[in-house]
Amino acid sequence: MREQAVSLAYLVASILFIMCLRGLSSPEQGRRGIFLGELGMLIAVVATLFNAEIISFEWILAGLILGSLIGTAISLRIPMTQMPERIALSHAFGGLATSLVGIAEFHRVRDITAQLATDAITVAQAGHGLTRLEMGALGFEVFLGSLTFTGSLMAFGKLQGFITGAPVTWKGQNLMNFAAFGGAIVLLVYQVIFLAEAPQWMFFTMCGTGFALGVLAVLPIGGADMPVVISLLNSYAGLAACATGFALRSNILIISGALDGSSGLLLSLLMSKAMNRSFANVLFGAFGTGDSSGVTALGAGPARPFNDATIEDAAAVLAASQTVIIVPGYGMAVSQAQHAVRDLAAALEKNGTEVKYAIHPVAGRMPGHMNVLLAEANVPYDALFDLDMINDDFARTDAVIVVGANDVVNPGAKTDTKSPIYGMPVFNVEQARSVIVLKRSMNTGFAGVENELFFLPNTMMVLGDAKKTLISLFGAIKDDH
Ligand code: NAP
């Protein structure tokens, strides 16, 4: 009876996980999706606590309290701009937990196998030793879990600046990594074939290779590509959890791990596509090595003239505009300007101006970054438009306000074949009658390349912190009417 109730609870939890992913595919349903996912996880955890094999709850309770305290403290302190680092850290802990569970299970089952061999216990008392399928799943789990642990720590370190964000490369690096990967697979296959007869060092060498590969595989990837790597490591953590499910015969782990693994992989592919990069290029291309000979970073050449505009200049253009498109980017997140953006938009709408928001798939530092910030400021979802939906509108628009965006509005991505971001789909902002760019300096954005938009005759650069500039613009527009 208890087993059936637990299975039913797992089924409900699995359905809630699927509904969670469904909800996360649209901003309107996002919050509900998160709630359903949390509910599913609560049900799964509580149902697991009814497992008949649990003989004492002290350690579980201690872990639950400690983990909840640390998780809550970290989440409350981390700003939105550092969310990728926060996610990387979570994956590192997830990977380590998976790996440790696998190592413990390996020891447990090996002990049983050894005792069965000496007739110290019977199959009826302890069950069979490890099957080939379970050994394969266990090895896969420990290898991927270890790789995810060190890989995620490396991604965290690169984003936080503890480790250089530049790709660290050397000759024959990819070959060396593939050889290490191949070696670990050979060890695993041997253990699957010979089970308990395989020497123990093979298991631990495979595990150590996983830890080493996490470091080696992330070293050659530039800090710029870390969000894609984090999403991929998320996928590995999911696959490791799925393998744990096979080893421990837990359906909920198999289902949730498979969902996590496939959604993480799909997200990584979508992010690469939005940057017009192949997946292989992200993982092995050492993007950001400076191999962009035709591209000059700002400050490298002589200073170029640009239209250094005042708040009053920009306010006058906006007051005379019938249609305005706001393009937010990473600078909006840094400056936490989302509320100021909404206030300015409301003031413009009050004057009869039509205001739309253009949201680029890789604006900011993680997928949906801009959507989350604008939702927090209660900007209505129907005012947000994706790249494909709005790109043709710029040519018919009076004014564009670029709030801390750079790479996603760089026209060079369409024309400069030597640019590292060549081919990345970008907004056609330069086609609008006037472009007002809010940023602090003439510095480059994430990809480190000069942006021709800033020097065009129809572009006004209003330099300063985006939030402060928006508040001043809001004041100027209100005073005008
Ligand atoms: P961006 O190219 O990184 O440019 C952001 C701009 O914001 C900078 O040029 C900076 O200029 C400005 N800024 C910073 N702080 C500011 C402040 N307080 N006030 C005003 N401006 C400020 O940003 P983006 O256009 O959003 O492009 C995103 C980039 O991230 C793309 O290259 C994309 O490929 C990459 N990426 C994104 C994701 C993702 O999932 N979203 C994942 C991987 C990579 P100043 O310093 O002069 O102010």
Side-chain angles (χ1 to χ4, degrees):
M1 180 67 193
R2 180 156 69 172
E3 258 181 41
Q4 278 168 348
V6 168
S7 297
L8 188 67
Y10 283 165
L11 184 67
V12 172
S14 306
I15 294 171
L16 287 171
F17 291 154
I18 294 170
M19 287 168 73
C20 162
L21 286 180
R22 177 84 192 93
L24 288 177
S25 59
S26 89
E28 292 100 322
Q29 303 286 319
R31 277 200 184 122
R32 194 168 153 264
I34 290 281
F35 172 73
L36 294 177
E38 285 170 344
L39 186 65
M41 191 53 83
L42 183 70
I43 294 174
V45 170
V46 172
T48 306
L49 292 178
F50 280 96
N51 191 319
E53 286 175 32
I54 299 177
I55 44 171
S56 111
F57 284 89
E58 289 91 350
W59 284 103
I60 295 178
L61 203 66
L64 203 71
I65 294 173
L66 195 68
S68 305
L69 284 178
I70 296 174
T72 309
I74 294 179
S75 298
L76 287 177
R77 285 173 57 92
I78 289 265
M80 272 301 287
T81 44
Q82 285 180 359
M83 209 38 92
E85 287 94 311
R86 164 77 181 81
I87 297 169
L89 216 48
S90 294
H91 292 163
F93 292 141
L96 183 63
T98 313
S99 186
L100 291 178
V101 167
I103 293 171
E105 182 65 8
F106 176 74
H107 272 295
R108 194 183 72 83
V109 187
R110 250 189 110 95
D111 282 351
I112 292 175
T113 315
Q115 285 175 300
L116 283 174
T118 57
D119 289 333
I121 49 171
T122 62
V123 172
Q125 286 170 322
H128 288 281
L130 215 54
T131 64
R132 291 214 159 78
L133 176 73
E134 283 164 349
M135 181 62 228
L138 201 69
F140 192 62
E141 163 199 348
V142 169
F143 178 64
L144 271 188
S146 313
L147 191 153
T148 306
F149 172 59
T150 46
S152 301
L153 281 185
M154 287 291 293
F156 172 77
K158 282 206 172 210
L159 287 174
Q160 281 290 97
F162 299 142
I163 305 166
T164 173
V168 179
T169 53
W170 59 84
K171 211 164 174 260
Q173 188 177 32
N174 286 337
L175 197 69
M176 189 185 103
N177 289 352
F178 278 121
F181 182 79
I185 298 297
V186 169
L187 290 179
L188 177 59
V189 170
Y190 190 93
Q191 293 172 89
V192 168
I193 296 173
F194 294 99
L195 292 175
E197 283 163 35
Q200 274 207 40
W201 65 260
M202 285 197 168
F203 184 80
F204 289 105
T205 307
M206 184 187 69
C207 181
T209 311
F211 282 123
L213 262 180
V215 176
L216 294 171
V218 178
L219 265 181
I221 306 176
D225 285 330
M226 275 312 120
V228 185
V229 171
I230 290 169
S231 172
L232 186 66
L233 288 167
N234 173 23
S235 162
Y236 290 170
L239 292 178
C242 185
T244 312
F246 279 106
L248 301 183
R249 299 179 190 181
S250 162
N251 289 342
I252 188 77
L253 271 177
I254 295 176
I255 297 174
S256 53
L259 287 173
D260 191 15
S262 50
S263 54
L265 182 65
L266 276 177
L267 185 61
S268 313
L269 291 170
L270 286 174
M271 283 161 87
S272 307
K273 191 171 163 232
M275 293 191 286
N276 196 38
R277 311 254 312 280
S278 73
F279 205 36
N281 178 269
V282 170
L283 296 183
F284 310 113
F287 183 74
T289 38
D291 190 22
S292 47
S293 38
V295 180
T296 10
L298 281 177
R304 293 173 61 187
F306 63 93
N307 185 358
D308 191 1
T310 63
I311 300 283
E312 290 70 30
D313 298 334
V317 168
L318 290 176
S321 298
Q322 303 271 297
T323 46
V324 167
I325 297 179
I326 297 174
V327 184
Y330 178 63
M332 182 181 83
V334 176
S335 146
Q336 285 295 295
Q338 59 274 22
H339 295 273
V341 167
R342 182 213 48 206
D343 291 344
L344 178 67
L348 289 170
E349 279 167 345
K350 217 170 150 200
N351 292 345
T353 310
E354 184 196 58
V355 181
K356 290 179 183 172
Y357 295 79
I359 310 295
H360 194 281
V362 291
R365 290 294 179 269
M366 58 182 182
H369 203 167
M370 300 297 114
N371 299 71
V372 172
L373 292 173
L374 293 172
E376 183 201 314
N378 290 324
V379 171
Y381 298 124
D382 55 14
L384 312 187
F385 293 87
D386 290 341
L387 187 87
D388 298 343
M389 290 160 76
I390 205 163
N391 229 6
D392 292 340
D393 289 4
F394 286 101
R396 303 186 284 270
T397 298
D398 294 329
V400 171
I401 313 175
V402 176
V403 185
N406 194 338
D407 293 345
V408 301
V409 292
N410 190 338
K414 292 181 276 189
T415 51
D416 184 354
T417 51
K418 289 190 174 134
S419 170
I421 58 169
Y422 177 70
M424 171 168 126
V426 288
F427 288 125
N428 296 327
V429 285
E430 71 285 358
Q431 294 176 2
R433 193 171 303 157
S434 303
V435 182
I436 300 167
V437 178
L438 315 185
K439 67 197 292 290
R440 297 166 305 183
S441 67
M442 296 301 283
N443 278 346
T444 54
F446 187 72
V449 288
E450 185 164 343
N451 193 338
E452 205 55 38
L453 174 76
F454 304 159
F455 306 96
L456 296 180
N458 60 336
T459 299
M460 308 166 83
M461 300 297 297
V462 186
L463 299 182
D465 176 74
K467 185 173 172 181
K468 286 190 188 145
T469 309
L470 285 162
I471 292 171
S472 306
L473 271 173
F474 174 71
I477 299 258
K478 259 181 58 181
D479 291 348
D480 223 31
H481 290 265

